[in-house]
Amino acid sequence: MLRTDDGPTIKLEDYRPTDFVLHSVAMTVRLFEGRAEIDTQLELERREGVAGDARLVLDGDELTLSGLALNGTAVPAETYTASPERLEIASLPATGRFTLDIATRIVPEENTKLMGLYRSNGVWCTQCEAEGFRRITYFLDRPDVLAPYRVRIEADRATAPILLSNGNPAEHGDLPDGRHFAVWDDPFNKPSYLFALVAGDLDSIHEEFETASGKPVTLGIYTEKGRVGQAGYAMDALKRSMWWDERRFGREYDLDVFNIVAIPDFNMGAMENKGLNVFNHKYVLLDPDTATDADYAGVETVIAHEYFHNWTGNRITCRDWFQLCLKEGLTVYRDQEFSADERSAAVQRINSVRRLKAHQFPEDQGPLQHPVRPREYREINNFYTATVYDKGAELVRMIATILGRDGFRKGMDLYFERHDGDAATIEDFIACFEDASGADLSQFALWYSQAGTPSLAVSESWDEASGTLTVGLKQALELGASGTDGDPFHIPVRFGLVGSNGQDKVVTVRHGAEVTGDVIHLTGEEETVIFENVGERPYLSVLRDFSAPVTLHHEQSLSDRLALARLDPNLFNRWRILNDLVAEALVAASRDPQRTAEPPLPAQIVEAILGSAGDDTIEAAYRAQALALPSEQEIARMLAENVDPDAIHAAVDAARRLIGERGRALFERIRAEARPAAEFSPDADSAGRRALANVALGYLAAASGDPAPAEAQYRAARNMTDRLAALAVLVHRFPGTGAATAALADFYARSEDDGLVVDKWFALQATVPDPAALDIVAGLLNHPKFTLRNPNRVRALVGTFAGANQRAFHRADGAGYRWVAERIVELDKLNPQVAARIATTFRSWRSFEAERRRAAQEALEKLSAIPGLSNDTRDIVGRSLR
Ligand code: BES
Ligand code: ZN
């Protein structure tokens, strides 16, 4: 069927409440092989002031109606119309409550979109955010329609001994024919996107948690049969999250049970359904032999994030999907703060900023740009973006920077108190901080509506005679499409004036922009701050902790920058300043690939990197970050036009060899000192030491061209982190050699029955930094373990190739683009959401040199002409071509 109906455009300004108010939901879900029967009873009432003849319009998606009754009596055919997408009912009571009984029939086994009710490895499970509930029953499927739910599940006891839904367990018992039932009661009002149901034969672990006020909660984690032994760390992370949210935000858990189910086929990372989180099993299952330190950190983050949603998202939800950052940006901020407290704050901040620059900056600087609160969308699934999540988290962080830690906490307390049980807006959120602190955040609010990354130019001038430092700050924002300038933001600039002893000086501020404590509030386009009584000339450290999501241009001498890279008491800035120096040098080298005589990095910068890396007084994880070069994607973004990925790769690789040569002695020492402990521990300190030793291994291999140390490490490794790091060196630096091939084969052989390890095997080969990697991935499509039906597997091979292999995806002959576009077309038929996500990897196509640009455009245009393309993929492709 040729589809011409690209869904309509939904606009923020069109928001209005529903005509009918929902009071309660009661569902019975009967599960059978090959079908599910869903009976839903809604208790509804016409909203006051709504016309008596207004019809009730319910959302559906690929549904069949098999029964409809009003107050227990069948609704006559002439008073309703039902299509797969919509159920419209006329002649409903003008006043008072009434009940509607809606029966639908669906086939979970045929649901390849993994939205709504589907089967994953035999287990029935649901995913309803954002609009999946309408694939289960006809409903007012929008986040401002809240109700308590009572859910009865019936299934065959042998196939599905475990029956779970939201809330607290109420009843269970036997039924004839080997079937049984369970009833779950969720007393908290919730929107339909938080509905969940799981049924299947699962293993589980349980633990008790007592909340701060003494309430006992039973925690459960459910996994596939035989894998529950890998859930212990997730359980530990859950208890630490619950404890932290009580201490840091005063938030306690509210139900008697909290359950997590780990599922192999899942579109996203995890989902915060009330009392029943459903997780991609990648974010639950771990052991030292199959998971890396990064995987452990990822599990901790995702467990915390979904748990924290119980207050930021569930108890207080979003009025509409335009307010998505109200729950997602805020909850990312909360999980980042949790990780900072659990691990190292500086290292966490470096990780978050790297992520922001890798994903959000390119999005904000390309055709998929949109405000943190979008004004319109065609497909809401495409707005779970780095901008909503990561920039959204940065906006919350800026509020905390502007108000200070106590002021921020008071605002949050007011938000929880004032809006508990509400579907709220960004305006509601901001008003709480204004009311709690007296601050005026009206200019700040512009960050939510104005897209784009502002630039911040900082200049300084020193007057030796009077000991006065004058700092100039200037912001600019070029608005993508219109080309005009935006309105100035309120930019909080955290700063310090560093003395030659490495300590911040205490100085007097004469006048200029408002300064509170260590924060300059830049509110005009251009402002000046004058510092007096400075004494000796200081080193100016600005934008500490990356206090605002801007691109910084600080006119500062190389010697000042190198001094700060050594001395700045703000560890984040020490890293940032060095990282900027390296990135600028690599940008210059990539721009001018013929310039072979000069080294890719000036000697002073190499020495500075090695100085940081060799500083034993600093934690190992930080030293590993100091050694990590900017990604090739980051260099491409900074180049902004005429990008040649081969030139970038050559520059980065030359820098890697140079650092490896100059630092050989240090790297040997680091490796020698990193003797692994007898027993593996995933704690941050041990992980940091492994990270540092593995970076050292990479540099040594780059410098020597000798695979032997990596081979030896591969063979000796007693945990996945060290094994995978060694394998990556072999496969990426020595592709096709006997050493690489043998190690890859060994890795596959020992991983064969663990899908998560097989994913690592696919992803590693997809990221060989060579245009010829396309042949490898193309070949792997035919591997017996490859399937388009498991999102993790698709992401491991196709997503990783397009998103992380710059040289091969952006091949000059366009073959990378064509191959990925073909995969998108195939996948789009099964799972549009995942296909659309992969299509976003084209987003920076215009910044490449002419030949690649033409090839990318051709691939995108060909994609957009495919008849029957999903709304999801069509939206991304269409906007990318704009
Ligand atoms: N609510 C989302 C999951 C989601 C996203 C559902 C998009 C439907 C559409 C969940 O809270 C979330 O944000 N998960 C993230 C991980 C998190 C740590 C940022 C994810 O799934 O990637
Ligand atoms: Zn979330």
Side-chain angles (χ1 to χ4, degrees):
M1 185 182 69
L2 205 148
R3 253 185 72 164
T4 46
D5 58 319
D6 294 2
T9 300
I10 314 293
K11 296 196 161 144
L12 169 59
E13 64 193 32
D14 292 342
Y15 173 82
R16 60 181 195 95
T18 53
D19 286 348
F20 291 82
V21 180
L22 179 67
H23 292 294
S24 69
V25 180
M27 295 175 87
T28 297
V29 178
R30 287 180 296 272
L31 302 170
F32 302 94
E33 287 304 319
R35 85 194 138 97
E37 303 174 355
I38 294 114
D39 293 345
T40 309
Q41 182 169 83
L42 307 179
E43 193 186 355
L44 291 154
E45 186 176 2
R46 195 176 296 270
R47 192 184 295 277
E48 234 179 76
V50 169
D53 61 350
R55 295 157 162 248
L56 172 66
V57 181
L58 301 178
D59 306 296
D61 182 6
E62 299 184 316
L63 286 182
T64 356
L65 181 72
S66 64
L68 181 63
L70 170 63
N71 291 326
T73 311
V75 177
E78 61 280 11
T79 54
Y80 75 90
T81 59
S83 75
E85 284 85 40
R86 197 175 154 89
L87 174 59
E88 210 177 313
I89 310 166
S91 313
L92 290 170
T95 57
R97 295 187 180 198
F98 59 90
T99 62
L100 268 188
D101 285 284
I102 301 169
T104 50
R105 301 287 172 263
I106 56 182
V107 185
E109 286 79 359
E110 286 172 5
N111 183 349
T112 62
K113 295 183 178 172
L114 313 187
M115 285 293 278
L117 175 62
Y118 62 95
R119 281 189 95 168
S120 174
N121 196 26
V123 175
W124 283 273
C125 63
T126 57
Q127 169 57 37
C128 291
E129 187 176 3
E131 298 177 336
F133 194 68
R134 63 184 65 181
R135 294 170 58 76
I136 299 172
T137 187
Y138 291 101
F139 203 74
L140 292 167
D141 192 16
R142 41 187 278 175
D144 62 343
V145 175
L146 312 176
Y149 285 58
R150 189 176 174 87
V151 177
R152 177 186 166 98
I153 312 167
E154 299 180 8
D156 180 65
R157 190 187 272 283
T159 331
I162 305 290
L163 304 175
L164 305 172
S165 189
N166 313 93
N168 295 318
E171 288 170 44
H172 59 91
D174 284 325
L175 295 169
D177 304 324
R179 293 175 65 80
H180 70 146
F181 74 94
V183 178
W184 290 80
D185 228 320
D186 186 358
F188 290 94
N189 276 344
K190 70 163 173 287
S192 52
Y193 81 84
L194 291 173
F195 169 85
L197 174 157
V198 172
D201 191 4
L202 299 161
D203 279 348
S204 63
I205 51 171
H206 289 93
E207 285 196 27
E208 293 296 315
F209 181 88
E210 191 179 308
T211 70
S213 64
K215 180 187 160 68
V217 182
T218 304
L219 312 177
I221 299 186
Y222 294 81
T223 73
E224 274 175 85
K225 283 280 184 199
R227 295 196 73 165
V228 82
Q230 291 180 298
Y233 185 78
M235 181 63 91
D236 178 60
L238 174 60
K239 288 190 291 185
R240 286 186 282 121
S241 304
M242 295 176 81
W243 193 88
W244 183 89
D245 212 16
E246 294 179 346
R247 282 1 174 239
R248 179 70 185 273
F249 282 95
R251 296 296 111 199
E252 277 188 37
Y253 188 63
D254 44 17
L255 290 162
D256 303 339
V257 301
F258 184 80
N259 287 321
I260 291 176
V261 181
I263 290 291
D265 306 286
F266 199 74
N267 282 351
M268 303 294 297
M271 179 63 209
E272 71 267 25
N273 318 300
K274 182 78 186 190
L276 179 55
N277 286 190
V278 176
F279 271 59
N280 184 326
H281 70 174
K282 172 180 160 72
Y283 293 110
V284 174
L285 303 177
L286 295 171
D287 62 46
D289 201 41
T290 59
T292 63
D293 291 321
D295 294 327
Y296 277 86
V299 166
E300 184 176 270
T301 295
V302 182
I303 292 268
H305 178 97
E306 307 310 338
Y307 173 72
F308 296 157
H309 268 315
N310 193 54
W311 275 95
T312 51
N314 301 6
R315 291 285 290 251
I316 307 179
T317 193
C318 302
R319 187 193 72 172
D320 53 65
W321 292 121
F322 296 103
Q323 322 295 329
L324 184 58
C325 66
L326 180 71
K327 76 176 177 83
E328 294 302 347
L330 175 56
T331 305
V332 170
Y333 171 75
R334 276 153 54 70
D335 80 53
Q336 289 177 350
E337 287 295 285
F338 170 71
S339 297
D341 286 351
E342 293 286 295
R343 295 166 176 250
S344 144
V347 172
Q348 282 315 306
R349 191 62 189 136
I350 292 169
N351 280 327
S352 305
V353 171
R354 270 192 198 277
R355 190 185 151 83
L356 182 80
K357 291 175 109 187
H359 301 285
Q360 200 279 325
F361 276 26
E363 182 169 273
D364 223 352
Q365 294 161 27
L368 299 184
Q369 179 193 73
H370 60 85
V372 172
R373 181 170 65 182
R375 274 179 290 274
E376 55 176 55
Y377 61 79
R378 300 182 75 106
E379 173 52 64
I380 187 56
N381 283 326
N382 289 339
F383 282 84
Y384 288 75
T385 60
T387 297
V388 167
Y389 275 67
D390 298 305
K391 189 172 178 182
E394 294 301 319
L395 304 199
V396 178
R397 184 176 299 278
M398 283 195 282
I399 296 176
T401 302
I402 291 169
L403 300 185
R405 199 178 161 111
D406 292 345
F408 178 75
R409 173 68 196 264
K410 286 200 185 92
M412 286 299 299
D413 287 349
L414 182 58
Y415 177 64
F416 291 127
E417 186 190 312
R418 191 185 275 177
H419 293 291
D420 187 12
D422 286 357
T425 63
I426 291 300
E427 283 78 5
D428 294 332
F429 181 66
I430 293 175
C432 291
F433 293 101
E434 293 187 316
D435 294 350
S437 70
D440 175 1
L441 294 175
S442 51
Q443 185 186 3
F444 178 81
L446 205 58
W447 282 103
Y448 284 95
S449 58
Q450 199 164 260
T453 313
S455 68
L456 172 65
V458 177
S459 60
E460 49 182 299
S461 80
W462 171 246
D463 183 60
E464 181 71 43
S466 60
T468 303
L469 181 75
T470 305
V471 177
L473 303 122
K474 188 175 188 314
Q475 59 169 309
L477 176 67
E478 248 182 67
L479 289 180
S482 59
T484 55
D485 291 349
D487 292 328
F489 291 102
H490 177 174
I491 302 181
V493 184
R494 200 185 284 286
F495 75 100
L497 305 186
V498 183
S500 53
N501 61 355
Q503 282 174 20
D504 280 354
K505 288 164 168 284
V506 181
V507 294
T508 340
V509 182
R510 195 169 77 204
H511 64 75
E514 193 193 334
V515 178
T516 54
D518 63 350
V519 178
I520 301 170
H521 299 268
L522 175 62
T523 51
E525 215 158 276
E526 195 167 356
E527 297 196 54
T528 304
V529 186
I530 299 173
F531 298 101
E532 290 184 332
N533 305 321
V534 179
E536 60 161 1
R537 193 178 76 82
Y539 303 110
L540 173 63
S541 170
V542 291
L543 206 66
R544 280 182 166 175
D545 298 329
F546 212 72
S547 59
V550 300
T551 50
L552 178 68
H553 306 280
H554 185 174
E555 283 169 36
Q556 195 169 33
S557 69
L558 178 61
S559 62
D560 278 19
R561 296 170 83 181
L562 290 170
L564 284 169
R566 251 183 319 116
L567 291 175
D568 199 325
N570 185 277
L571 270 187
F572 171 84
N573 248 21
R574 224 191 261 188
W575 168 83
R576 198 265 298 158
I577 287 163
L578 190 53
N579 192 257
D580 283 354
L581 279 171
V582 176
E584 287 163 25
L586 292 176
V587 165
S590 312
R591 217 175 246 140
D592 189 5
Q594 312 317 336
R595 198 195 55 161
T596 43
E598 271 178 66
L601 281 181
Q604 285 161 296
I605 297 180
V606 175
E607 292 316 315
I609 294 173
L610 295 174
S612 278
D615 186 344
D616 293 332
T617 65
I618 308 178
E619 60 190 317
Y622 180 91
R623 293 159 66 196
Q625 288 286 1
L627 282 169
L629 296 177
S631 70
E632 295 178 20
Q633 283 85 345
E634 170 69 356
I635 311 289
R637 184 189 63 79
M638 290 174 72
L639 280 165
E641 55 184 26
N642 254 316
V643 170
D644 172 355
D646 296 328
I648 294 175
H649 180 75
V652 174
D653 202 52
R656 199 178 304 282
R657 287 195 306 267
L658 178 63
I659 296 169
E661 277 153 24
R662 300 298 301 267
R664 192 181 295 246
L666 170 64
F667 296 135
E668 302 280 12
R669 174 168 75 80
I670 287 171
R671 291 200 70 218
E673 286 170 2
R675 276 154 300 147
E679 205 177 329
F680 178 88
S681 161
D683 69 90
D685 197 49
S686 314
R689 276 183 276 114
R690 282 187 287 270
L692 181 60
N694 284 322
V695 181
L697 175 69
Y699 276 113
L700 286 170
S704 67
D706 176 8
E711 261 188 293
Q713 174 167 324
Y714 179 83
R715 269 186 263 110
R718 284 188 290 144
N719 59 70
M720 179 54 90
T721 301
D722 292 339
R723 185 176 306 123
L724 192 63
L727 184 64
V729 168
L730 292 172
V731 174
H732 290 172
R733 186 151 290 280
F734 309 102
T737 62
T741 314
L744 257 183
D746 176 80
F747 190 87
Y748 181 77
R750 44 186 305 151
S751 69
E752 233 184 319
D753 13 280
D754 186 335
L756 294 172
V757 181
V758 174
D759 289 340
K760 291 175 164 43
W761 184 82
F762 275 104
L764 202 65
Q765 298 177 79
T767 44
V768 173
D770 190 300
L774 177 59
D775 305 327
I776 303 175
V777 293
L780 285 172
L781 271 190
N782 300 318
H783 189 279
K785 290 262 169 193
F786 184 76
T787 168
L788 285 175
R789 288 179 186 263
N790 175 259
N792 288 356
R793 192 61 45 85
V794 175
R795 282 187 284 253
L797 186 66
V798 187
T800 310
F801 175 78
N805 194 336
Q806 198 164 243
R807 280 190 90 193
F809 174 51
H810 298 281
R811 243 164 79 143
D813 64 1
Y817 299 137
R818 287 191 293 275
W819 185 82
V820 172
E822 285 161 16
R823 305 292 77 73
I824 290 171
V825 174
E826 289 169 359
L827 181 60
D828 193 56
K829 293 177 193 133
L830 295 168
N831 191 329
Q833 201 181 330
V834 175
R837 180 68 54 151
I838 291 177
T840 64
T841 54
F842 278 91
R843 68 183 168 207
S844 302
W845 66 274
R846 267 184 231 273
S847 65
F848 283 82
E849 53 72 35
E851 198 182 341
R852 291 173 168 89
R853 208 184 321 141
R854 251 195 315 276
Q857 182 170 8
E858 219 170 87
L860 282 170
E861 278 168 354
K862 206 173 146 195
L863 250 180
S864 81
I866 303 266
L869 207 62
S870 70
N871 197 40
D872 305 56
T873 300
R874 184 171 301 287
D875 172 50
I876 294 292
V877 172
R879 281 192 283 139
S880 300
L881 280 167
R882 264 205 319 229

